[in-house]
Amino acid sequence: MAIQPTRHEAPIQDASVRIHNFDEVAGVYPAEIARAEAARCLHCKNKPCVEGCPVNIDIPDFIAHIASGDYEGAYQSVSRFSSLPAVCGRVCPQESQCESRCTLGVKFQPVAIGRLERFAADWHNGHDPKPPEKPAPNGHRVAVVGSGPSGLTCAGDLAKLGYAVTVYEALHTPGGVLVYGIPEFRLPKAIVEKEVDTLRALGVQIETNVIIGRTLTVDELFEMGYEAVFIGSGAGLPNFMGIPGEALKGVYSANEFLTRSNLMKAYLADPETPIMKGGRVAVVGGGNVAMDAARTALRLGAEKVFIVYRRSMEELPARREEVLHAQEEGIAFNLLCNPVEILGYENKDDRRDSRNGFVTGMRCIRMALGEPDERGRRRPEPIPGSEFTMPVDTVIMAIGTSPNPLIKDTTAGLEVNRRGGIVVTEDGLTSRASVYAGGDAVTGAATVISAMGAGKTAARAIHQQLSGT
Amino acid sequence: MNRILERKVLNPQVTLLKIDAPLVARKAEPGQFIILRPTLDGERIPLTVADFDRKQGSVTVIFQVVGATTERLNHLMEGDFIADFAGPLGRATRTEGLRKAAVVGGGVGAAIAYPVAKKLHRQGCEVHAVIGFRNKDLVILEDEFRQNSAKFFPMSDDGTWGERGLVTDALRRLLESGEQYDEVITIGPLPMMKFVCQLTKEFGVKTIASMNPIMIDGTGMCGCCRLTVGGQVKFACVDGPEFDGHAIDFDEAISRAGMYRDFERRAYEKTCNLFKKA
């Protein structure tokens, strides 16, 4: 039988409809389509796709289960490697990981591994799954700081080995960036809740509203009897550009804008937490977070949303799929363009004018790509005299983060690098004995799956240390 | 979930809650704050620690009803639970080495000024407490301030309590009479702090102002609480909430505090109507 050269499409909400709701953009494969897509897998002996996966899921194995109609078996196969299958199936950049290594991709489109992973996870969640069995306790206790992807993965892996794991979360809901950052239309919060419930069923304790570095310190965790600590506290403080006008009302960091909408549910009708809706919105930056913010603003009722990015489409770091979706939804891309000032309303005659201090526009300058920098990326340089003003009501800065000082400042002997990231060995061990770290707290802003990979690595190392194997 | 151990109405607008929060109580210091959500799905709001009892494991907050969230909070009674209570956050007030200080508080800010005055007084610092309210009906913590200061200067806008005038009137007189303070610590409404800082700058007295901008997470993640201090962006939640009062851009802070004024007014009216119906 000849192999179908193109992958099967998943159902998708039409752009004209989805810009008015927060429902998931992409749907899940129907079972027969999943089986047909699974049948495209060549089952290569050397499994190049597995090497492309940061948590080394046995991809051909779970795909074989789907092909044979054993969907629960597919889920069980994935969950041996990943604590968050339904999350990864949705937000992983598969095109640059597993799918980029797919042998089929040399001639044809690669197997849609991400969609199949999501199918397996959603099938499991939709069929009244039995909670996983709680493993017999091995008598060791581990504390995990932060309940984002790295922390949850580390906790899950250790719990499966019988460790008593407590996860400390600073916010009121577990999930980290999965709940405050990634919007509902890419990752429904109910999915995250399900994954967290699975970990709880494994015996993982989750303590919300505890800020490590304030409520408790890392040293106190050891005094409390934990034998190892994993720090997965996330990326940290949002960056601003340092241009005039960033304190005007209507200027947000992407973290703030997304947190208001996602975690605080300002996207619902009649929210308790306010957010600026409507008008014209400029999002500064070109990463996935910028796409999330832009598409959230659109769904909140913006008239027009612009991505403002200083390099060209070629260098834009967001996932292609997200860019494509954003374009379909009508988001405009102002490329090779950099803000120089944010402009605000000022009624000098009436200081009580309620419009005073709100954003009215953004001055930008056109850029051209010059010589490559040390990382080989062509450096954007301003074109003199090319300034122009974009009339906007809201500006969202999505230009990265700087490490949070809370844990570093309260943990003696914890080494950080020049950029403030925690220094770790290959195994995730920090400069402090029995203290491990991973995810954005180490690398700076990266992907969910790379954070999960780091959580997994650290879990393995913690197990080796504590079990002496 | 944290239980309300004690609730006291201090005046028609201001309520004290003593909350069961042993982990927070163990660490809390004057100057720090907590973040709470009165109910599930509610808004997160920062409130400064007004007092703490490490032995009892309780933390006291004092709040003024200014909007929907504080209105909701005000309907919780002794024995009720607060959905979320996290802290202590921010840096503690630095009191080391202070031998003579003026603590200048206004309105509900007096609730935050009080633990600072108490800590200074207990460490042997000569505290001059200048505390102002609009009128005598709004006075809170009078006895507490009297007990924890060497000199107490009560002020009211209408003269119904203490002396008629603003806190800056009393502070100016003290500074002009030659009082030498190691530091002035001011906590209250933004315009009040702005004018206190202008005054102390004239006299060259180091001044610390406690800022209370809009916040969400309170741990540095969102940047909502940013202020300009000495020309640099600072996050009140991790860098503050206390800053050099002479370096703070107060006009910017005053403007930013009003970002959601319309929303807040509508939400407040709606919440009040809900409670009226109930």
Side-chain angles (χ1 to χ4, degrees):
Chain A
M1 188 181 72
I3 287 171
Q4 180 179 320
T6 53
R7 50 173 52 192
H8 293 83
E9 289 305 325
I12 189 161
Q13 258 203 89
D14 190 75
S16 63
V17 176
R18 70 180 188 244
I19 59 170
H20 300 296
N21 67 54
F22 275 83
D23 299 340
E24 229 178 327
V25 170
V28 66
Y29 275 150
E32 65 275 19
I33 303 288
R35 284 184 76 163
E37 181 63 24
R40 293 179 69 230
C41 177
L42 299 174
H43 293 279
C44 315
K45 267 218 175 82
N46 56 346
K47 304 183 182 183
C49 51
V50 177
E51 280 164 42
C53 173
V55 298
N56 303 118
I57 291 171
D58 189 345
I59 293 163
D61 180 67
F62 95 77
I63 290 182
H65 282 286
I66 293 178
S68 70
D70 175 16
Y71 308 136
E72 179 61 22
Y75 171 81
Q76 294 301 339
S77 172
V78 175
S79 66
R80 275 192 288 136
F81 302 91
S82 165
S83 297
L84 311 167
V87 173
C88 295
R90 287 170 165 81
V91 303
C92 260
Q94 292 100 2
E95 67 280 4
S96 59
Q97 296 179 348
C98 52
E99 293 177 6
S100 75
R101 313 285 181 95
C102 178
T103 311
L104 207 54
V106 178
K107 268 178 90 172
F108 305 130
Q109 285 187 338
V111 175
I113 300 169
R115 290 175 190 163
L116 289 172
E117 182 186 22
R118 173 175 166 187
F119 167 78
D122 284 12
W123 195 92
H124 170 82
N125 284 337
H127 284 76
D128 197 18
K130 272 195 235 98
E133 262 176 58
K134 207 166 143 177
N138 67 10
H140 293 290
R141 295 176 68 204
V142 177
V144 169
V145 181
S147 66
S150 72
L152 291 180
T153 300
C154 187
D157 281 15
L158 288 169
K160 285 176 195 165
L161 294 165
Y163 288 85
V165 183
T166 307
V167 179
Y168 291 98
E169 167 56 48
L171 294 172
H172 57 262
T173 307
V177 73
L178 306 175
V179 297
Y180 77 72
I182 302 178
E184 185 76 12
F185 57 84
R186 277 220 293 138
L187 179 64
K189 300 304 152 247
I191 300 274
V192 182
E193 263 169 54
K194 268 230 157 84
E195 304 277 34
V196 170
D197 286 346
T198 305
L199 293 183
R200 284 202 170 105
L202 282 169
V204 174
Q205 298 279 329
I206 300 180
E207 300 281 346
T208 53
N209 295 324
V210 179
I211 304 104
I212 302 300
R214 286 276 183 258
T215 319
L216 294 168
T217 62
V218 169
D219 290 297
E220 284 169 318
L221 292 174
F222 285 107
E223 287 164 24
M224 289 161 70
Y226 295 107
E227 296 156 84
V229 174
F230 174 77
I231 301 170
S233 53
L237 283 56
N239 294 336
F240 289 90
M241 292 185 73
I243 58 174
E246 282 183 298
L248 289 165
K249 291 175 278 191
V251 182
Y252 289 99
S253 75
N255 272 6
E256 180 188 349
F257 190 76
L258 291 168
T259 299
R260 283 181 181 274
S261 179
N262 298 329
L263 177 73
M264 304 313 298
K265 305 204 186 310
Y267 76 90
L268 297 174
D270 209 9
E272 300 240 345
T273 298
I275 194 166
M276 283 184 64
K277 295 178 183 177
R280 291 161 61 89
V281 180
V283 179
V284 181
N288 289 321
V289 174
M291 300 303 133
D292 284 347
R295 298 172 70 200
T296 296
L298 191 68
R299 284 160 173 75
L300 286 171
E303 271 162 47
K304 186 75 195 165
V305 182
F306 302 87
I307 290 280
V308 176
Y309 179 57
R310 62 194 180 134
R311 291 184 162 96
S312 71
M313 188 56 95
E314 208 173 302
E315 293 83 17
L316 190 117
R319 283 184 68 190
R320 288 300 104 174
E321 190 187 355
E322 304 305 326
V323 175
L324 205 69
H325 283 165
Q327 286 173 325
E328 283 170 11
E329 290 167 9
I331 286 164
F333 284 68
N334 275 359
L335 302 170
L336 290 165
C337 174
N338 207 31
V340 291
E341 183 180 3
I342 301 167
L343 310 169
Y345 190 85
E346 192 183 1
N347 182 345
K348 286 200 176 95
D349 300 325
D350 182 5
R351 303 200 45 186
R352 306 186 79 103
D353 188 330
S354 64
R355 292 167 296 180
N356 280 339
F358 279 93
V359 172
T360 57
M362 187 162 78
R363 289 286 289 167
C364 294
I365 189 162
R366 301 271 178 214
M367 309 290 276
L369 292 179
E371 294 302 307
D373 61 15
E374 61 275 14
R375 288 164 64 190
R377 290 207 301 181
R378 291 178 65 192
R379 204 190 297 272
E381 282 154 11
I383 302 171
S386 68
E387 288 94 343
F388 66 101
T389 299
M390 299 171 63
V392 292
D393 308 284
T394 302
V395 174
I396 301 169
M397 291 292 174
I399 52 170
T401 54
S402 305
N404 193 316
L406 283 184
I407 291 178
K408 171 183 69 90
D409 289 353
T410 53
T411 312
L414 187 72
E415 202 185 314
V416 299
N417 62 27
R418 215 158 31 93
R419 293 189 315 272
I422 300 171
V423 176
V424 295
T425 65
E426 257 178 29
D427 289 337
L429 182 65
T430 68
S431 55
R432 280 280 304 264
S434 305
V435 178
Y436 296 78
D440 287 1
V442 168
T443 57
T447 59
V448 167
I449 189 71
S450 64
M452 289 178 58
K456 200 167 193 60
T457 303
R460 204 180 303 131
I462 290 169
H463 177 54
Q464 271 169 12
Q465 182 195 323
L466 297 184
S467 67
T469 55
Chain B
M1 300 287 266
N2 298 69
R3 203 157 64 93
I4 298 173
L5 301 172
E6 189 185 328
R7 178 179 183 274
K8 217 155 65 184
V9 176
L10 300 186
N11 75 35
Q13 291 172 12
V14 176
T15 304
L16 173 151
L17 295 178
K18 190 186 256 192
I19 292 156
D20 180 44
L23 282 183
V24 184
R26 263 183 68 225
K27 285 284 173 65
E29 290 289 345
Q32 290 189 297
F33 64 94
I34 57 91
I35 293 244
L36 64 76
R37 284 200 314 165
T39 50
L40 292 173
D41 291 330
E43 193 184 8
R44 292 170 68 93
I45 56 163
L47 290 173
T48 307
V49 170
D51 210 346
F52 47 85
D53 183 334
R54 301 206 203 284
K55 217 189 269 169
Q56 189 189 26
S58 68
V59 174
T60 301
V61 292
I62 294 176
F63 64 95
Q64 183 169 9
V65 177
V66 291
T69 301
T70 42
E71 175 70 19
R72 262 175 223 285
L73 188 60
N74 205 28
H75 282 265
L76 297 179
M77 297 294 144
E78 245 167 61
D80 287 349
F81 285 85
I82 288 184
D84 296 287
F85 192 86
L89 293 158
R91 295 168 187 266
T93 308
R94 298 189 55 150
T95 56
E96 305 92 61
L98 297 184
R99 285 196 303 271
K100 186 168 172 180
V103 175
V104 183
V108 74
I112 307 161
Y114 162 62
V116 177
K118 180 166 130 183
K119 182 166 183 191
L120 287 168
H121 181 72
R122 290 198 175 169
Q123 73 183 37
C125 173
E126 181 183 341
V127 175
H128 291 185
V130 182
I131 307 297
F133 296 97
R134 282 212 306 279
N135 60 57
K136 82 171 184 340
D137 295 336
L138 301 177
V139 172
I140 57 172
L141 302 172
E142 177 173 352
D143 294 343
E144 285 84 346
F145 275 110
R146 284 191 192 281
Q147 284 159 19
N148 287 286
S149 57
K151 289 184 183 165
F152 180 54
F153 304 91
M155 305 292 291
S156 62
D157 292 6
D158 63 357
T160 52
W161 182 70
E163 190 188 334
R164 181 186 188 131
L166 303 171
V167 288
T168 39
D169 298 333
L171 184 62
R172 175 176 287 281
R173 208 166 52 230
L174 287 165
L175 291 167
E176 278 174 351
S177 73
E179 295 283 4
Q180 300 278 331
Y181 299 114
D182 297 332
E183 207 170 282
V184 171
I185 300 170
T186 182
I187 306 164
L190 287 167
M192 182 205 94
M193 291 197 287
K194 174 183 167 178
F195 289 109
V196 167
C197 292
Q198 273 178 11
L199 174 65
T200 57
K201 197 168 184 180
E202 243 178 75
F203 287 84
V205 184
K206 184 182 174 193
T207 302
I208 298 295
S210 175
M211 304 298 281
N212 188 14
I214 303 172
M215 285 188 188
I216 308 177
D217 65 295
T219 64
M221 188 266 283
C222 82
C224 173
C225 65
R226 64 189 184 277
L227 305 160
T228 303
V229 182
Q232 291 198 316
V233 176
K234 295 283 179 190
F235 290 1
C237 65
V238 290
D239 300 319
E242 298 183 349
F243 294 98
D244 173 359
H246 298 156
I248 296 168
D249 185 336
F250 276 105
D251 291 334
E252 178 189 291
I254 289 168
S255 173
R256 283 184 65 76
M259 180 154 169
Y260 298 107
R261 194 155 286 149
D262 288 347
F263 176 95
E264 285 160 359
R265 201 188 49 243
R266 283 196 308 273
Y268 184 27
E269 283 164 8
K270 203 187 68 197
T271 310
C272 290
N273 287 337
L274 275 178
F275 282 117
K276 264 181 218 150
K277 273 181 211 151

